[in-house]
Amino acid sequence: MRKNTCPFLLLLLVINLWSCSGEQKSTTATENSTEYQADIIVYGGTSAAITAAVQAIRMGKSVLVVSPDTHLGGLSSGGLGFTDTGKKEVIGGLAREFYHRIYLHYQNDSSWQWQKKEEYGNKGQGTPAIDGTERTMWIFEPHAAEKVFEDFVKENNIQVFRDEWLNRQSGVKKENGKIVSIQTLSGKTFSGKMFIDATYEGDLMAAAGVSYHVGREASSVYGEEWNGIQVGVLHHGHHFKTNISPYKIPRDSTSGLLPRISAEDPGKRGEADKKVQAYCFRMCLTNHPDNRIPFARPEGYDSTQYELLVRVFNAGWRELFDKFDPVPNRKTDTNNHGPFSTDNIGMNYDYPEASYERRKEIIKEHEVYQKGLMYFMANDPRIPADVQKEFATWGLPKDEFTDNSHWPHQIYVREARRMIGEFVMTEHETLGKKPVPKPIGMGSYTLDSHNIQRYVKPDGYVQNEGDIGVHIAEPYQIAYGSLVPKKEECVNLFVPVCASSSHIAFGSIRMEPVFMILGQSATTAAVQAIDKGITVQEVNYEQLKAQLIKDKQVVNAPKSAL
């Protein structure tokens, strides 16, 4: 027995030493193994997941990315190219490197296939699209962003397991408050010292038994003004500005409600609910005739779903093209705009906690709704002729999302679960009313929530509820405690996307540059916890801060941002 055992142990030792070398960043027992291990396991394929993994490699640790997604980058490569920057000065580290690489991409003449660079203009959100002085570019096409993420992976030799879905029922193994391993539905097991949940949904966090919240807290929970139900608050232009009847026969309540209007009481201002802000797809559209695919009639199309929009147009609304935000090559990042648009209000409430099968159903319903809306506006005779004539010049680009019928591969999960961690970010911290302990990054975007309900007012007319936009005067710091669970719940997990925050604070934190920032900061802390053999809650903040600053992360706003 000894003669057989010793060579086997020696082989394991050789494999272990090999895995710790600078040339190999992950371990597999055999070519066909179903068990894998690394210092850090990142679950997710979002922008935060990739920055987290890159930081691990740069700090000398092994890392595996276990991604339920096939495409990397989440919304950043899924259509959201008109970046919600806020103050660019507080975007540092790997996030800024991402936007620098975008800049380099568009310095190549070959990147301008459908438009001359000088014809593009320089419109951005909060900053010019192209910042030559800082050598950054904040606006981009989906395929350009995906290439940057894939380059990050290739250059750092990061092993990514794609289309691997966490077994949410029994796939998380914990011992003494630590996650030991996670298992996916395919049967693969991933063991590590530290784990990072970088998904939009927070599935690993939930399966690990960490506390979280879904929906809006009552305003009284954290003493906030803008949390809870916000009936009567109309901050943006995404509400009904004129009286429009919600009934099939106008002003006849006995005729029944039009589709996509709730018959339920919306609740009182400040009350809690379990509802989440609307999702949509951030469509990339083009009006270049040689690259345009006309909007097709989707299977399951039902024109009656859009009757409310006809009434909006008939009331004189003409803001349809206000959020056709330009990205290079005569394309757009087209987002929701107006009282009835791409946001599929009220159809996603069960998504955060839903099974994978149910989520697929929700995503498909959103796809049919939004594709149907495009087809309706391009073809239905009830759309005003002037609007329809211009809209008919738009379509899906032939050179984007080529393996998904040119439709975005990522639905915009604006909000799902939010961890209740060591520290909860609230509007008080984001608005500068309270100090932030142990800051590890910064945010600066408006407190922004999309609509959550469409209901009938007491006067018998339709209205939307939940759309909030509160200006932030100065950039704010994000607490380290918002990335980690309470110690009694888990001691080796970071949650940089479904971070610990109230609904309205998350309305600002949920921006893609911030997710990249938090992904990098989470890994930096994970490495220090590994090196010192301590829990994530015990990480020395001053040492963490020093490393973050060394890696060009911004933890204090420069004067130019104030």
Side-chain angles (χ1 to χ4, degrees):
M1 291 297 290
R2 286 181 184 174
K3 289 182 180 180
N4 293 330
T5 302
C6 290
F8 177 73
L9 293 175
L10 180 61
L11 175 61
L12 289 180
L13 177 61
V14 170
I15 290 174
N16 186 55
L17 290 172
W18 175 61
S19 72
C20 294
S21 70
E23 296 181 358
Q24 178 68 21
K25 296 300 180 182
S26 60
T27 65
T28 59
T30 68
E31 186 176 335
N32 298 317
S33 175
T34 59
E35 296 188 4
Y36 306 85
Q37 66 179 53
D39 293 319
I40 300 172
I41 306 297
V42 178
Y43 182 61
T46 61
S47 59
I50 303 308
T51 57
V54 171
Q55 183 70 1
I57 297 298
R58 292 187 179 180
M59 294 188 73
K61 298 302 180 187
S62 60
V63 64
L64 296 174
V65 175
V66 183
S67 172
D69 309 308
T70 301
H71 295 272
L72 303 180
L75 260 296
S76 285
S77 61
L80 204 167
F82 197 72
T83 305
D84 302 309
T85 50
K87 295 285 188 178
K88 64 183 180 182
E89 294 88 348
V90 301
I91 300 172
L94 285 167
R96 181 164 284 261
E97 182 177 335
F98 170 84
Y99 296 107
H100 172 61
R101 288 179 177 231
I102 292 290
Y103 171 85
L104 295 177
H105 172 81
Y106 286 108
Q107 291 301 298
N108 297 321
D109 291 340
S110 61
S111 297
W112 298 89
Q113 182 178 0
W114 305 107
Q115 181 182 43
K116 293 181 179 179
K117 183 179 179 181
E118 56 269 22
E119 294 175 350
Y120 166 60
N122 207 20
K123 178 187 176 185
Q125 187 174 185
T127 182
I130 306 173
D131 188 337
T133 303
E134 296 291 330
R135 292 173 60 81
T136 51
M137 187 164 176
W138 307 94
I139 312 298
F140 46 83
E141 299 160 276
H143 77 267
E146 186 168 4
K147 182 180 184 301
V148 172
F149 289 118
E150 292 291 352
D151 286 346
F152 271 141
V153 167
K154 183 178 180 180
E155 293 167 14
N156 292 280
N157 193 28
I158 297 169
Q159 189 170 4
V160 180
F161 294 81
R162 303 174 196 245
D163 196 25
E164 290 289 344
W165 299 78
L166 177 69
N167 180 340
R168 292 158 58 187
Q169 279 67 48
S170 59
V172 178
K173 181 180 179 181
K174 289 178 70 177
E175 294 178 1
N176 300 320
K178 294 179 63 175
I179 301 173
V180 176
S181 65
I182 63 173
Q183 187 177 66
T184 58
L185 294 178
S186 70
K188 295 182 178 68
T189 299
F190 301 89
S191 303
K193 300 172 184 176
M194 290 286 158
F195 291 79
I196 297 175
D197 185 341
T199 62
Y200 291 120
E201 294 83 6
D203 285 340
L204 173 54
M205 168 189 71
V210 172
S211 298
Y212 60 86
H213 192 89
V214 175
R216 294 180 283 190
E217 300 94 344
S219 59
S220 59
V221 172
Y222 299 115
E224 297 173 296
E225 180 179 1
W226 303 112
N227 208 346
I229 296 168
Q230 299 288 309
V231 171
V233 179
L234 307 170
H235 280 176
H236 291 122
H238 312 317
H239 62 276
F240 294 88
K241 299 178 181 179
T242 58
N243 287 333
I244 292 179
S245 177
Y247 302 111
K248 293 178 180 178
I249 299 175
R251 293 177 294 280
D252 181 359
S253 61
T254 65
S255 64
L257 290 171
L258 291 174
R260 302 180 186 277
I261 301 174
S262 173
E264 296 181 3
D265 187 311
K268 297 179 181 179
R269 185 171 179 183
E271 289 181 338
D273 64 14
K274 293 295 183 181
K275 301 172 182 176
V276 292
Q277 57 183 305
Y279 299 168
C280 70
F281 289 91
R282 293 289 286 251
M283 295 179 299
C284 183
L285 304 181
T286 183
N287 63 357
H288 195 296
D290 295 332
N291 194 33
R292 180 180 69 89
I293 301 173
F295 297 114
R297 179 188 178 110
E299 184 177 352
Y301 173 72
D302 178 5
S303 65
T304 65
Q305 297 297 307
Y306 313 108
E307 174 63 31
L308 194 56
L309 178 61
V310 174
R311 297 184 187 182
V312 172
F313 278 127
N314 290 343
W317 186 80
R318 290 296 184 273
E319 301 174 19
L320 177 63
F321 302 102
D322 285 8
K323 284 302 291 178
F324 279 49
D325 292 313
V327 303
N329 284 307
R330 284 180 62 172
K331 298 176 187 175
T332 71
D333 167 358
T334 299
N335 194 14
N336 176 83
H337 184 71
F340 190 102
S341 183
T342 58
D343 274 3
N344 197 1
I345 300 171
M347 304 300 287
N348 63 338
Y349 297 155
D350 59 332
Y351 180 90
E353 302 270 38
S355 67
Y356 293 136
E357 292 75 17
R358 174 58 184 147
R359 284 182 186 166
K360 289 178 182 177
E361 293 174 355
I362 294 169
I363 292 170
K364 185 63 178 179
E365 194 278 334
H366 278 66
E367 179 183 334
V368 172
Y369 163 75
Q370 196 162 332
K371 285 182 174 178
L373 176 62
M374 299 301 106
Y375 180 80
F376 181 81
M377 289 192 290
N379 295 280
D380 196 282
R382 291 175 292 173
I383 299 297
D386 59 324
V387 173
Q388 193 167 77
K389 181 179 179 180
E390 182 177 352
F391 190 79
T393 66
W394 293 93
L396 301 176
K398 296 176 182 178
D399 59 349
E400 297 290 352
F401 310 118
T402 55
D403 64 346
N404 195 42
S405 301
H406 313 284
W407 191 254
H409 47 69
Q410 174 67 59
I411 193 170
Y412 195 175
V413 180
R414 289 188 171 93
E415 187 174 16
R417 299 182 179 99
R418 300 185 310 280
M419 180 171 64
I420 304 174
E422 276 223 317
F423 184 86
V424 179
M425 293 286 295
T426 71
E427 72 175 43
H428 303 299
E429 289 77 30
T430 59
L431 295 176
K433 297 179 180 179
K434 289 184 178 180
V436 174
K438 302 179 181 179
I440 43 76
M442 300 195 73
S444 61
Y445 199 77
T446 299
L447 295 178
D448 180 60
S449 171
H450 279 234
N451 278 307
I452 295 174
Q453 303 179 85
R454 179 176 289 135
Y455 68 102
V456 180
K457 297 185 296 178
D459 62 6
Y461 294 106
V462 64
Q463 192 51 273
N464 296 333
E465 183 274 323
D467 189 71
I468 301 296
V470 179
H471 175 68
I472 290 176
E474 296 180 355
Y476 59 90
Q477 298 170 316
I478 300 173
Y480 175 69
S482 68
L483 302 186
V484 299
K486 298 173 183 177
K487 190 172 183 178
E488 61 268 25
E489 293 182 346
C490 192
V491 297
N492 67 335
L493 175 68
F494 290 88
V495 185
V497 177
C498 295
S500 179
S501 61
S502 69
H503 157 73
I504 197 58
F506 192 73
S508 175
I509 294 170
R510 66 182 180 84
M511 305 305 155
E512 288 291 302
V514 178
F515 287 157
M516 294 188 220
I517 291 167
L518 299 185
Q520 178 181 358
S521 294
T523 294
T524 305
V527 170
Q528 294 190 350
I530 291 172
D531 287 345
K532 294 184 181 299
I534 57 177
T535 69
V536 299
Q537 292 84 8
E538 295 170 328
V539 169
N540 182 288
Y541 175 68
E542 292 304 321
Q543 294 176 3
L544 173 60
K545 179 181 177 181
Q547 184 66 49
L548 293 175
I549 293 173
K550 179 181 177 182
D551 293 333
K552 300 181 180 180
Q553 200 74 289
V554 180
V555 296
N556 293 292
K559 292 182 179 180
S560 58
L562 302 176

